[in-house]
Amino acid sequence: LAKTTQPISMDSYEGQEVNITCSHNNIATNDYITWYQQFPSQGPRFIIQGYKTKVTNEVASLFIPADRKSSTLSLPRVSLSDTAVYYCLVGDSNDYKLSFGAGTTVTVRA
Amino acid sequence: DTGVSQDPRHKITKRGQNVTFRCDPISEHNRLYWYRQTLGQGPEFLTYFQNEAQLEKSRLLSDRFSAERPKGSFSTLEIQRTEQGDSAMYLCASSSTGVLSPLHFGNGTRLTVT
């Protein structure tokens, strides 16, 4: 399973774009990159998943360079409700022991 | 999609007592996972079921822990002779077996051992 490294915390203000970069130097050919969001006292919630280049949905964008050794989750125009912990995971469909790590705590201020 | 439900949401027990948690996954999901999360940490994998078969157990799952998934539907996680170190959030997740099959988590059971 590929190990991931992401910042412990990030601060932002309402209306700004937040970019969280995750490093995964030993990503395997079959691995996908998946991001989850977790609010206090709730289980993690799937945000976005990708394999290469760029993926966008109604919540976020995921940018993956050609070498796939890192990825960046982009949250456009954050609001106070985006304050949460964000986890980057790397694995394929048979990786059922996915490691969440400590994640990145994003704090959005007014 | 009614989501993954877990019961109870909170459990307070005295050290040495047994506790059992229940998880009802999304009905069409054949994969079910249990995770444990302590304050300030990400979820840690405990065990995994494919249908009714328990295919993997973490070394975190001591002999006091047992999980079942009869008939491949709901699952239970039992902790015997609870210890204060068992205090944590216990999360259940389910997924399908497709290539892009993210985990769908319940909101967990918060266990406090006094």
Side-chain angles (χ1 to χ4, degrees):
Chain A
L1 298 175
K3 178 177 169 60
T4 61
T5 303
Q6 51 183 123
I8 296 296
S9 63
M10 298 182 70
D11 288 345
S12 184
Y13 290 92
E14 284 188 294
Q16 291 189 333
E17 179 181 79
V18 172
N19 296 305
I20 309 170
T21 296
C22 178
S23 297
H24 28 79
N25 290 320
N26 59 340
I27 188 169
T29 302
N30 294 331
D31 286 345
Y32 284 79
I33 301 151
T34 309
W35 286 80
Y36 290 84
Q37 174 192 56
Q38 186 176 28
F39 299 114
S41 299
Q42 294 186 22
R45 181 176 73 103
F46 169 80
I47 301 176
I48 197 166
Q49 184 177 62
Y51 183 81
K52 62 180 179 181
T53 62
K54 177 184 175 182
V55 180
T56 297
N57 61 23
E58 65 278 5
V59 176
S61 294
L62 179 59
F63 298 92
I64 306 167
D67 66 6
R68 304 199 329 121
K69 293 184 182 300
S70 68
S71 59
T72 298
L73 175 72
S74 180
L75 306 172
R77 300 178 300 281
V78 293
S79 64
L80 296 176
S81 62
D82 292 314
T83 294
V85 180
Y86 293 83
Y87 298 98
C88 165
L89 280 75
V90 173
D92 66 25
S93 59
N94 294 316
D95 288 333
Y96 42 78
K97 295 193 292 184
L98 292 174
S99 170
F100 275 75
T104 298
T105 299
V106 172
T107 302
V108 180
R109 307 181 192 281
Chain B
D1 180 357
T2 57
V4 177
S5 62
Q6 293 188 245
D7 184 70
R9 286 299 312 276
H10 304 274
K11 179 69 177 179
I12 300 173
T13 190
K14 292 184 178 180
R15 188 176 56 186
Q17 298 296 303
N18 299 343
V19 294
T20 300
F21 310 140
R22 178 181 171 118
C23 170
D24 286 275
I26 293 172
S27 58
E28 60 267 28
H29 286 178
N30 52 6
R31 291 182 171 182
L32 186 144
Y33 313 76
W34 284 98
Y35 282 80
R36 181 172 69 186
Q37 185 173 27
T38 54
L39 197 62
Q41 302 298 315
E44 297 174 295
F45 171 81
L46 291 179
T47 191
Y48 159 71
F49 289 84
Q50 173 101 1
N51 299 311
E52 67 276 7
Q54 187 174 20
L55 298 184
E56 185 71 30
K57 291 195 296 184
S58 165
R59 58 183 172 80
L60 294 175
L61 215 64
S62 75
D63 292 343
R64 297 184 297 105
F65 288 71
S66 63
E68 295 183 342
R69 192 184 182 196
K71 302 179 182 178
S73 55
F74 71 92
S75 177
T76 58
L77 178 67
E78 181 183 16
I79 308 175
Q80 296 182 330
R81 306 180 301 283
T82 52
E83 302 173 356
Q84 288 188 320
D86 297 331
S87 295
M89 174 77 85
Y90 290 84
L91 293 162
C92 176
S94 68
S95 73
S96 63
T97 51
V99 173
L100 298 178
S101 52
L103 302 178
H104 295 256
F105 282 85
N107 284 328
T109 294
R110 168 80 61 191
L111 173 66
T112 302
V113 181
T114 62

